[in-house]
Each structure stands twice: as C-alpha cells, then as structure tokens.
Amino acid sequence: MKKILTILLSCSALSLHAQIQNDDVYELTEMYRANLRNEIFIPDVDGYKALKCDFHTHTIFSDGKVWPNIRVTEAWQDGLDAVAITDHIEYRPNKEILKGDLNESYKIAKKAGDAMGFMVIKGVEITRSKPLGHINALFINDAMPMDVEDPLVAIDEALKQGAFIMWNHPGWPDDKSTFYPVHEELIKAGKIHGLEVFNHIEYYPVTFDWAKKHNLAFMSNSDIHDPIHVTYGIANDIRPMTIVLAHERSVESIKEALFAKRSIAYFNGELAGKSEHLKGLLKASVKVHLINEKHAQITNISDIPFKLTIGDNLYTIPARKSIMLPIPNQDGFTVQNCHIGHGQKLTVYASDFGF
Ligand SMILES: [Zn+2]
Ligand SMILES: [Zn+2]
C-alpha cells in the first residue's frame, strides 16, 4: 500500500511539469502556444460593440503563402473578432496543384473558424489594373459568378448576392491616389460602400476626404500574403484593423454596421473615421476625474493610446494608464491620432466630457 501511494505521489508531482504519454515520451503541453490570444480591449461605443476585423487577406488559393485555416488562427491569436478571406479571382498561381473552385479557401477557413468560435467572412478580390484597380466583394455566397471578363459585371454579380463592395488600396501600385470617373460612377450608383484608407503598411491621406464626402465606410486591413508575423513581426500588436461598431457579435451584424458606415480605420496607433465615431470612441475610452479647477486626471481604459495637444503641448494618454492634465480652455484640445479628413484632426471640448 505504501509503495502504491509513493508511485501515485511521484506521478502527480511529475504531472505538474509534463503530461506523461507513456514511459518513453513526456509531452510538454505548456509549450503549445497556438491556443494563446492577445486580447485588445476596446469599450462599447454609444451602445455598439467595437469589433476588430480584417477584411482583406490572401491564402495559397491565390497568391498568399499560407493554408486558409492559418489565417483564422492568426486572426484569433492577434485578438481580432472576424477575418475575411478575399483571394484574387483572376490571379491563382497555384491552381494547377490545388483542388476546389473559387469558394474552396473560404470553406476551409470557415471550418476552422467554426471549430474555434471565430467569425469568418466570405469574400473575393476582383483584380484589375487602374483606373478601376482592385475591389473586394464581402459577404458573398458564391464566388463563381464573379469570374467574368468585365469587372463591372463581376461587381453586379456580387451585388446580386447582397455584397458589400470595398475599393482597395487606392494609392497602389503607382503611389498615386486618383479618384477616376469609374469610381465616381460606381459610388453614384451605390455600388461602392467602403474605402480602404489603410492597406498593408501604407495609407492614403486624401482618401479620408473621399470617405467623408461620399459617405463610405473607413477601412483598414492587412492584405496579408505572408504568414502574418513575417510581415508585422512577433510582437503582434500592430496589425491593422477595421473597428466595426456593431449591434452584436455576428457576421450579419458586422454587415449591417458596414452598410450603415459605422467603422473606424485603426493602424499603427492612428485612427481615421467620421468625427462622431471617433468622438464616441474617445469618450468611451477616456474617463475624466476633476482634481481642482485647473487639473483633471484622465484615465484611458482602452488598449488604444490617444495623443492630444492642449495649446502648444503634446500629451500621450497611453493604453490603460492615467495622466494628470491641465483642463483645456474654450479652444478645446486636438486629438492628433484621430483623423477626420486630409490634414484634419478631431477637436474635442471640455464640455464633451461634462465639465
Ligand atoms: Zn489588391
Ligand atoms: Zn489583396
């Protein structure tokens, strides 16, 4: 009996460090990190959930370098709420060695997403040279009808399926952000709904004005081709994302929010969007506690840092920290990392915070 007890004790002591599979193999399960996620806290904004999404990714089914399920794991690990798989329709260098049609990459990603409780959105990238450029059709049912000669017909096919249409990277590949007549016509006809003001590692300041003028959703996406950390490094804290202000955590709700243009582009600590959304995000994130007539303690409860100027002084309110600041006069303060137009920043007043 004593001997059995000793064996049991030694087994339980060992199991603190390793799961014993058999006498020959000790598996160190704590070394498995695929199940670790970086949480990004953004509070609800005006009653909406702030969902973190990437609406532009590629897999090996077009010119990406990874299998579709890896896109889902990456997005989950990086703290996102949803990812869209948007392989090129027209550019599929691996198609000779892969089975399946234009819907295959989504099918594989969706299966992985369902297993993890993670939202996967079905999309495609309709790929042409400028002037039209590249267009993502999101929330589609079937990609096959979009495999046609005329890209305007492809857009119409996507629209028939209720797709949300995003104009991708307007400043790529010629380093010129040009608003062509074809975009004017499509927007006028209600056939473009969102604008990718940030893509991969670049943004297009003039597009902030276009999104505002034409009431398009502000969007920021990775357009990732390599494994995500090959591009953004191992710290996984700078991945660009579109913050969607949704009624609830569901694909349908994300779609509704995008068509209602409730979104904010977030990249490298910068935010771009409509002033009401940015102001809502700031007010939800920043809590003000008056110390006396001249000073207030500002606490940022979110994981988004804010940079603001009061008079000539620049202050940073880091994520999840407090700072003591002078109360601004009637001129208010400018939030330097909140872009509401080309060269235009959000201005907020003390009265917005109720003092
Ligand atoms: Zn593209
Ligand atoms: Zn792309």
Side-chain angles (χ1 to χ4, degrees):
M1 185 65 193
K2 199 175 172 188
K3 198 177 170 188
I4 293 170
L5 193 66
T6 312
I7 291 167
L8 279 173
L9 277 172
S10 62
C11 282
S12 71
L14 278 170
S15 70
L16 289 175
H17 303 291
Q19 175 188 337
I20 300 169
Q21 286 198 315
N22 57 48
D23 288 343
D24 298 322
V25 178
Y26 284 20
E27 186 183 4
L28 307 185
T29 49
E30 75 273 24
M31 289 183 72
Y32 183 68
R33 293 284 177 91
N35 56 4
L36 270 192
R37 170 175 160 92
N38 179 42
E39 289 296 343
I40 304 164
F41 177 70
I42 306 174
D44 289 0
V45 175
D46 296 328
Y48 295 110
K49 299 210 174 311
L51 301 181
K52 295 140 278 172
C53 309
D54 188 343
F55 294 107
H56 195 165
T57 72
H58 293 276
T59 79
I60 202 150
F61 282 81
S62 61
D63 55 346
K65 301 288 196 299
V66 307
W67 199 250
N69 65 319
I70 299 297
R71 288 287 173 242
V72 179
T73 304
E74 289 171 341
W76 180 84
Q77 288 180 320
D78 287 349
L80 300 188
D81 296 291
V83 68
I85 303 294
T86 57
D87 280 314
H88 297 283
I89 288 179
E90 304 79 359
Y91 186 49
R92 308 180 78 214
N94 306 310
K95 73 176 170 196
E96 303 306 327
I97 54 168
L98 292 170
K99 286 184 182 165
D101 64 10
L102 294 169
N103 297 300
E104 193 64 26
S105 53
Y106 168 77
K107 271 190 222 161
I108 296 168
K110 176 75 166 72
K111 198 172 163 200
D114 286 349
M116 302 166 69
F118 190 83
M119 291 184 277
V120 181
I121 293 158
K122 185 169 186 173
V124 284
E125 185 163 14
I126 299 164
T127 314
R128 296 295 190 280
S129 304
K130 283 188 169 185
L132 178 65
H134 297 189
I135 301 284
N136 271 10
L138 301 163
F139 309 100
I140 58 166
N141 305 315
D142 179 7
M144 295 309 286
M146 281 147 244
D147 189 9
V148 289
E149 185 84 25
D150 185 342
L152 299 182
V153 173
I155 291 172
D156 283 340
E157 289 295 337
L159 289 165
K160 272 188 217 162
Q161 297 181 23
F164 178 93
I165 306 293
M166 175 176 82
W167 175 9
N168 301 349
H169 46 68
W172 185 89
D174 54 355
D175 291 336
K176 287 192 186 87
S177 302
T178 312
F179 195 92
Y180 290 102
V182 65
H183 303 116
E184 180 97 54
E185 281 159 31
L186 285 168
I187 289 169
K188 217 185 278 174
K191 295 182 178 182
I192 289 180
H193 314 108
L195 186 54
E196 201 174 47
V197 302
F198 180 94
N199 171 281
H200 194 52
I201 56 164
E202 61 185 26
Y203 75 100
Y204 318 104
V206 69
T207 62
F208 300 163
D209 285 344
W210 301 350
K212 193 165 61 168
K213 181 177 173 198
H214 298 285
N215 189 26
L216 303 173
F218 283 77
M219 304 180 80
S220 162
N221 304 303
S222 68
D223 195 2
I224 194 70
H225 286 70
D226 279 323
I228 195 90
H229 298 143
V230 169
T231 294
Y232 296 116
I234 53 169
N236 80 350
D237 58 353
I238 56 162
R239 180 175 181 152
M241 64 188 77
T242 304
I243 300 169
V244 176
L245 306 179
H247 285 293
E248 56 179 40
R249 183 178 295 275
S250 71
V251 170
E252 264 316 300
S253 203
I254 292 172
K255 184 177 176 183
E256 185 279 330
L258 284 184
F259 273 114
K261 320 296 164 56
R262 292 194 309 271
S263 67
I264 296 169
Y266 183 40
F267 50 94
N268 199 34
E270 304 292 314
L271 297 143
K274 288 183 178 174
S275 100
E276 76 237 43
H277 297 145
L278 291 171
K279 196 186 276 192
L281 175 65
L282 183 76
K283 286 173 73 175
S285 302
V286 161
K287 305 296 167 197
V288 180
H289 173 61
L290 286 183
I291 304 295
N292 52 40
E293 312 84 70
K294 289 191 174 165
H295 288 90
Q297 179 177 311
I298 318 279
T299 301
N300 182 1
I301 63 165
S302 85
D303 278 326
I304 298 177
F306 292 96
K307 293 177 212 161
L308 44 98
T309 44
I310 301 174
D312 293 333
N313 296 319
L314 174 68
Y315 302 94
T316 299
I317 318 177
R320 302 197 194 219
K321 293 220 180 333
S322 294
I323 186 169
M324 195 85 78
L325 289 182
I327 297 171
N329 60 20
Q330 66 278 7
D331 297 334
F333 54 89
T334 306
V335 192
Q336 296 294 341
N337 62 331
C338 286
H339 305 265
I340 55 170
H342 185 11
Q344 224 186 332
K345 312 283 176 71
L346 179 72
T347 302
V348 187
Y349 302 90
S351 57
D352 288 317
F353 292 87
F355 64 93

